[in-house]
Amino acid sequence: MAFLNLIRWKNLAMIVFTAMVIRFALLPGFGQNPEVGLFPYLLLVLSVVCIAAAGNIINDIFDVTTDSINRPKKLIIDQVIKRKIAFKLYFGLNVLGLFTILFILLSHPSESLWIVFSICVLSPIALAVYSIWLKRVALAGNILISILVGASIFCFGIVLIDSDQNPVLYFIILAYALLAFSLNLSRELIKDIEDLRGDYYCKMKTLPILIGKKRSNHMIFGLLTFTILILLTLLLNYFLSFNVFIFYVFAFILIPLILISKQILKAKNQKDYTSISFHLKLVLLVGICSMFTFLIL
């Protein structure tokens, strides 16, 4: 169980779920057949999961000090799993993930897989740089992680479609990737506020340390407001004929985001921020589930 918690199995399960929904809900909803077979697609999912799991491990390895202050009861490295073993798991998962995506590329060469391969190769480097250095820099680390979250959705979608023949689907995949980026960035900033005490002790320069909780709250509120406006713009300009989808987004994404935005302005203690972080993650999951509505259009 310690290993599963170390690799953040719930987050990995959400990656797998997202990949399956894109293939078995979004594409059939538009009557499109996938460009790659199920087996190579599952291998791609495995590759992304392995790289993400490795990223979670390296993050925990370099987070021991802050985690011992912020969440001592959940500390795994050095307490349950030795650091040396954690490093071996980190390298092993990265090697498995990279060799898997290389195998897919060699057996099914295509322009889209070259793009995905490049993203997968760069991701372990980006995650290591984040864990060692960028997470200590205000906004830079938050933005990097959020880009990788959005990139995972982009990767799962782009290998399944021909963007030239299916521009609408390509646009929708980009829209979901943008939504994932924005919501995850908001969560990353919330988590920085949650980890304020340990980060301050380790002399990090995260946003709440530099500008304080109240100003950080206003910045997150602004980011969520921007997300809401972007969603409204997309709905009104491109999805007016998708009645079920519009109802779903208004009822289960936009309204909850408005309520969460109001909560952020009032947030003061650890319990408030933990609740907001959970609800943002729930909205992201509900947002991915909105792809099922395309099956009943």
Side-chain angles (χ1 to χ4, degrees):
M1 190 63 188
F3 171 73
L4 293 177
N5 290 330
L6 179 64
I7 62 174
R8 307 286 198 279
W9 68 271
K10 293 179 182 178
N11 292 345
L12 301 182
M14 189 166 175
I15 291 174
V16 175
F17 176 74
T18 300
M20 295 301 104
V21 173
I22 291 172
R23 183 181 177 93
F24 295 109
L26 183 61
L27 260 70
F30 285 86
Q32 298 297 324
N33 294 317
E35 291 289 312
V36 298
L38 181 58
F39 180 67
Y41 187 70
L42 291 176
L43 288 180
L44 170 62
V45 176
L46 173 64
S47 177
V48 173
V49 166
C50 286
I51 292 170
N56 290 331
I57 292 174
I58 194 69
N59 184 55
D60 270 17
I61 290 173
F62 285 94
D63 250 6
V64 170
T65 304
T66 54
D67 284 347
S68 65
I69 298 170
N70 294 323
R71 45 184 74 85
K73 294 182 180 179
K74 295 182 178 180
L75 197 62
I76 298 174
I77 303 294
D78 292 336
Q79 296 293 323
V80 183
I81 297 176
K82 294 181 179 180
R83 193 178 297 239
K84 187 176 180 180
I85 295 175
F87 268 116
K88 289 180 178 178
L89 290 170
Y90 164 71
F91 285 111
L93 285 167
N94 270 326
V95 169
L96 177 59
L98 293 175
F99 269 99
T100 301
I101 189 63
L102 179 61
F103 170 77
I104 302 169
L105 178 63
L106 294 176
S107 57
H108 300 80
S110 68
E111 183 181 345
S112 60
L113 273 171
W114 268 110
I115 296 172
V116 173
F117 176 76
S118 301
I119 292 172
C120 288
V121 169
L122 291 173
S123 292
I125 301 171
L127 289 167
V129 171
Y130 165 80
S131 300
I132 297 168
W133 175 55
L134 272 187
K135 76 177 302 175
R136 298 172 177 270
V137 181
L139 283 178
N142 308 122
I143 291 172
L144 175 61
I145 291 299
S146 301
I147 287 173
L148 293 176
V149 170
S152 65
I153 293 177
F154 176 73
C155 288
F156 291 140
I158 195 174
V159 300
L160 294 174
I161 65 167
D162 185 324
S163 58
D164 293 328
Q165 295 183 8
N166 299 286
V168 174
L169 259 180
Y170 184 74
F171 174 78
I172 289 174
I173 288 166
L174 285 177
Y176 275 104
L178 177 63
L179 175 65
F181 166 81
S182 183
L183 292 181
N184 194 79
L185 181 56
S186 299
R187 281 195 72 240
E188 287 291 317
L189 296 175
I190 290 290
K191 283 158 63 179
D192 278 351
I193 300 176
E194 288 184 272
D195 295 342
L196 185 61
R197 191 160 63 97
D199 290 349
Y200 184 81
Y201 176 82
C202 293
K203 298 180 180 180
M204 292 186 177
K205 294 182 179 179
T206 60
L207 192 69
I209 289 175
L210 292 178
I211 67 175
K213 278 187 180 181
K214 189 172 182 180
R215 288 190 180 93
S216 296
N217 286 356
H218 284 101
M219 189 165 181
I220 298 166
F221 173 81
L223 179 59
L224 284 181
T225 301
F226 174 75
T227 304
I228 291 167
L229 291 175
I230 290 294
L231 273 174
L232 280 172
T233 301
L234 290 174
L235 286 176
L236 296 176
N237 284 283
Y238 300 104
F239 295 97
L240 277 178
S241 59
F242 298 81
N243 296 329
V244 178
F245 178 75
I246 284 189
F247 172 79
Y248 184 99
V249 172
F250 266 99
F252 301 112
I253 300 177
L254 284 173
I255 292 176
L257 280 180
I258 292 170
L259 296 175
I260 291 170
S261 299
K262 292 177 64 177
Q263 283 183 308
I264 287 172
L265 293 177
K266 300 176 183 178
K268 293 180 180 179
N269 55 47
Q270 190 81 3
K271 185 178 178 181
D272 294 335
Y273 292 112
T274 301
S275 174
I276 291 169
S277 178
F278 171 77
H279 286 117
L280 280 174
K281 192 170 186 177
L282 191 60
V283 169
L284 180 55
L285 176 61
V286 170
I288 297 300
C289 289
S290 67
M291 294 183 195
F292 286 111
T293 63
F294 294 115
L295 291 171
I296 52 177
L297 293 177

